[in-house]
Amino acid sequence: FTNPGLLGGKRDFDERYARPIADGLPDAATPLRKKIKPFLLRRLKRDVLPDLPPRTDIVIHCELDENERALYDAILAATRTDVIDRIQATGNVFAALEALLRLRQAACHPGLLPNQEAPTSSKTERLLDKLEKSTTDGHNALVFSQWTSLLDLIEPHLKNRRLPFCRLDGSTKDRKSVVDDFQRSDG
């Protein structure tokens, strides 16, 4: 976390923010939003759209390997009953959201999960193969991720395969030069 202690301990956070929000109390999220606003950089799509090249979406299906599938299934099995019980008991959906987050992380790369390590993943390898083909064909590609930690896991593979890349995330200082580098014909 950017500022440890800012939101108090877990119990205090639950009492002050999580429970009132989950209970649907009006304006319960306002104090939390006010407290974290200075730490969030938010740009609207209309603000960044002129900086982006035309978009082409390609859907690539990828099967998890045996170990990844076993990990995913284990998380699913371990959380399913617990989440259902907690929602029925309290109506609190945070447990379900956290379970879905963990499942999405497991589906992308096991290394995103707490206490898990993996040198690569099925999706990383599939992505790298597609990026190699794309660059060989003279194309640029944008790779979006909800997690900068996933980008951290992919970067070494890009370097090992000598695939040129630019990274644009919330910590990027000179965004315009990164976009310009990407948009150059040899970028």
Side-chain angles (χ1 to χ4, degrees):
F1 202 111
T2 307
N3 193 345
L6 175 72
L7 304 176
K10 180 170 176 20
R11 183 175 295 137
D12 183 51
F13 179 84
D14 286 345
E15 288 174 16
R16 219 179 328 161
Y17 304 112
R19 195 168 300 125
I21 292 170
D23 291 343
L25 296 177
D27 298 322
T30 303
L32 178 61
R33 278 194 205 101
K34 186 176 179 182
K35 190 166 265 200
I36 64 172
K37 185 176 182 179
F39 302 100
L40 298 178
L41 172 63
R42 180 163 175 89
R43 296 175 66 196
L44 300 176
K45 184 177 179 179
R46 69 173 179 263
D47 297 333
V48 297
L49 201 54
D51 297 338
L52 299 175
R55 174 176 141 172
T56 303
D57 291 338
I58 301 171
V59 177
I60 303 168
H61 297 277
C62 179
E63 291 289 326
L64 300 178
D65 75 19
E66 197 174 303
N67 293 332
E68 293 166 344
R69 188 68 209 191
L71 178 62
Y72 183 92
D73 289 342
I75 293 169
L76 180 62
T79 58
R80 178 180 284 155
T81 305
D82 179 54
V83 168
I84 292 170
D85 291 346
R86 288 170 66 182
I87 289 174
Q88 287 175 342
T90 65
N92 188 336
V93 297
F94 283 119
L97 294 175
E98 183 178 352
L100 290 172
L101 169 73
R102 295 293 175 233
L103 289 168
R104 289 181 62 227
Q105 288 174 322
C108 286
H109 195 297
L112 293 173
L113 295 165
N115 304 317
Q116 293 288 324
E117 291 184 21
T120 190
S121 72
S122 299
K123 286 190 178 181
T124 299
E125 292 304 316
R126 187 71 180 260
L127 170 67
L128 292 167
D129 292 343
K130 289 293 185 182
L131 291 175
E132 275 184 336
K133 182 172 180 355
S134 181
T135 56
T136 300
D137 293 345
H139 300 290
N140 290 353
L142 288 175
V143 177
F144 292 94
S145 176
Q146 177 179 351
W147 302 288
T148 56
S149 52
L150 180 59
L151 300 177
D152 295 339
L153 294 168
I154 292 170
E155 269 189 43
H157 296 286
L158 294 171
K159 289 175 183 173
N160 287 343
R161 293 187 186 204
R162 292 185 163 80
L163 290 170
F165 66 92
C166 303
R167 180 166 172 166
L168 183 66
D169 62 30
S171 66
T172 304
K173 301 291 183 221
D174 186 3
R175 300 173 79 83
K176 182 167 179 14
S177 75
V178 173
V179 171
D180 290 344
D181 286 346
F182 177 81
Q183 290 180 330
R184 282 193 340 258
S185 60
D186 65 337

